[in-house]
Amino acid sequence: RMVSETKVVPAFLGGFICIYGLVSGFVKERLFLSESLVAMVFGIIIGPRVINIVDPHSFLNVERFTLEFARYVIAIQVMAAGITLPGRYIVRKWRTMSIMLGPVMIVMWLVTAGIIHLLFDLEFTQSLLIASCAAPTDPILANSVVKGRYAEANVPKNVRDALSAESGINDGLGLPFLYFALYLLNESYSTRHAIGKWFYWIWCYNILLSVAIGIVIGYVARKLLRLAESYDLIDKESFLAFSIGLSVFIVGILQLIRSDDVLCCFIAGHSFTWDDWFREETKDAHFQEVLDGLINVSFFVYLGTIIPWDQFNNAELVISPWRLIVAAIMVLLLRRLPVVVLLTRITPAFRNYRQSIFAGWFGPIGVGAAFFMEIVLEEIEADPVNYHLRSREIIQPIVIFLIFSSVLVHGVTLPLLYIGKVVRSRSRSFSTMSIRNGIASRLSFVNSREPPGVHGVQIPMMDSSLSDEFVETPHGKRDSRLMFSTSQPDSAETSRSSPFEGEKPDGGAQQPAAPLDLARTITIDETPKIARDQMDIHYRVPQSHLQYRQYVQNLQMPPSAIHGPGYSHLHPEVPMRSFSSQEL
């Protein structure tokens, strides 16, 4: 059996990687399915529950192997997340990181614990222990919305960077939540002893020490690599593989001193690319992505083969399928989304509620949860006398089912978003046709945060009889950016006139309202890379006004000091400067 399994696993794993590779572009770029979902489904099929070709329990110590496998997968992924972030991102975006790693992560932990406590009849401390496994977001599952064609075309870069940074760093910061509950559950510790050990051993030794080591290792590695590259001592292959070797080295060193290796890998990766040099040098090389893909696919195939289906219905542990399904739905909906939406206005990375809803939904539970689950099982195994037996037995089915649900739901979310995007695009095309016919009231592309007065701006429309003058684009479509172009008035008299009421000449007859004195382009930007649909009205500041302001600054006195008949030549009649809808 041992020999048979070790031959079957490489055959099926290698065959899946080759076959999936042949259609991976279609699956990811057309169907928008994550490779993690496809790999897990394949693992379930070949696992003991379906055709029973591969059963890791028959030839592996599953708990120990899962712990080490997940450790190295996460270490390589968080190293990649730290490298791909823009230089000094954590320092420049400290406010966003403080919110996502502080209030948001605490609320995720407490909400998940409350749901588990409500549905599975557990003590709240035991619920906190299980919830600590699901508190971190997963950098592997988050790749579906931070990398790839769909992400680059539809997800703003500010959201992608925030999700990548959060998922990279909170896998390391999950240890304080886990050990807080674990120490409180230890019957040999008093509450004072548990909190004291949690502070000096977890926060000081694991968190702060790993951050310091990561900064030093990343800095030294960056200097050594630049030195070797400047003297032409390193070849291209070793240059590209340097970050992989660095992550494995950090895991080994931190395991020797028993500190937080995952957090250290992320900090070292970000310190390694602090000046953006390595990231710019390797942005066109895809070696990291290739290796990440192989490791991720392998792990989720393995995860599909070890799902404990028989433990999902256990009356003694108060576990049943309906409880697990309800818990998964409530966790995915309530764990993260509400708090991220509520904190939108104080989170600089999210510019509107649509971005915060998107970021709040994509906080998947994945490899990090399996890693923390195995840490808990290992700690309880080491001291089974001082822990409640039910804590060990119930943690695995709940955490594995939450991982399974997250991979399934987040894996099929992108196709639904793509379908919604197609429907919105068709609706937008109809609105654009209405605008072309002169119906300005259909301009509904402005941001919802803008004041309602922007929606009522009178917009000079082009006569539909001039439609033949539209310029044909290379794609055979009319350029909608030329639809609203108007000419700039030449006379100063026209510039003085109000855009909403006409002048009364000598005859007293009411004249038609003058067109808006703008620099005359209304752009409806439908580029998918724009963070949100928006209508920008651009204005031009006259050159005479700029010269006037510069003259005042040179005099170093307020404008009121040079008002009078002697300075009338410095006061040209210029229209009041307006602002774009986004500035408003």
Side-chain angles (χ1 to χ4, degrees), residues 433-472:
M433 291 176 61
S434 300
I435 294 171
R436 185 175 296 147
N437 292 327
I439 307 177
S441 62
R442 297 301 300 273
L443 283 170
S444 58
F445 302 103
V446 291
N447 186 357
S448 58
R449 280 191 181 182
E450 295 166 351
V454 177
H455 297 261
V457 174
Q458 296 185 9
I459 303 174
M461 305 301 296
M462 178 174 284
D463 189 352
S464 60
S465 63
L466 303 177
S467 59
D468 293 335
E469 298 180 7
F470 287 157
V471 178
E472 295 292 327

Side-chain angles (χ1 to χ4, degrees), residues 127-241:
S127 302
L128 287 175
L129 180 63
I130 300 175
S132 64
C133 300
T137 57
D138 189 66
I140 300 172
L141 297 179
N143 283 341
S144 60
V145 294
V146 300
K147 295 181 181 179
R149 189 183 69 176
Y150 180 88
E152 293 177 358
N154 297 277
V155 183
K157 191 176 187 305
N158 56 296
V159 177
R160 285 186 279 133
D161 288 341
L163 290 177
S164 181
E166 181 201 6
S167 62
I169 198 171
N170 66 10
D171 277 320
L173 288 179
L175 283 183
F177 299 96
L178 187 149
Y179 277 96
F180 180 80
L182 198 62
Y183 289 159
L184 288 180
L185 281 173
N186 194 319
E187 297 177 356
S188 64
Y189 292 164
S190 64
T191 303
R192 182 177 180 181
H193 183 200
I195 294 178
K197 185 176 181 180
W198 175 72
F199 179 77
Y200 76 79
W201 179 252
I202 300 302
W203 277 107
C204 296
Y205 189 78
N206 279 267
I207 302 300
L208 297 181
L209 180 62
S210 63
V211 169
I213 294 175
I215 293 173
V216 173
I217 291 179
Y219 175 81
V220 173
R222 183 175 78 246
K223 294 299 183 181
L224 291 177
L225 186 62
R226 295 201 71 159
L227 182 65
E229 198 271 341
S230 63
Y231 284 97
D232 200 19
L233 299 176
I234 187 170
D235 60 4
K236 181 179 180 181
E237 291 77 12
S238 299
F239 186 86
L240 297 176

Side-chain angles (χ1 to χ4, degrees), residues 503-511:
E503 293 183 348
K504 291 185 178 182
D506 296 337
Q510 180 73 28
Q511 299 295 327

Side-chain angles (χ1 to χ4, degrees), residues 295-306:
I295 295 175
N296 299 342
V297 166
S298 302
F299 182 85
F300 280 98
V301 170
Y302 167 76
L303 180 66
T305 62
I306 64 169

Side-chain angles (χ1 to χ4, degrees), residues 401-421:
F401 191 84
L402 290 178
I403 296 173
F404 170 77
S405 304
S406 180
V407 174
L408 178 64
V409 173
H410 290 107
V412 300
T413 300
L414 280 183
L416 299 179
L417 291 178
Y418 179 73
I419 294 173
K421 178 178 178 294

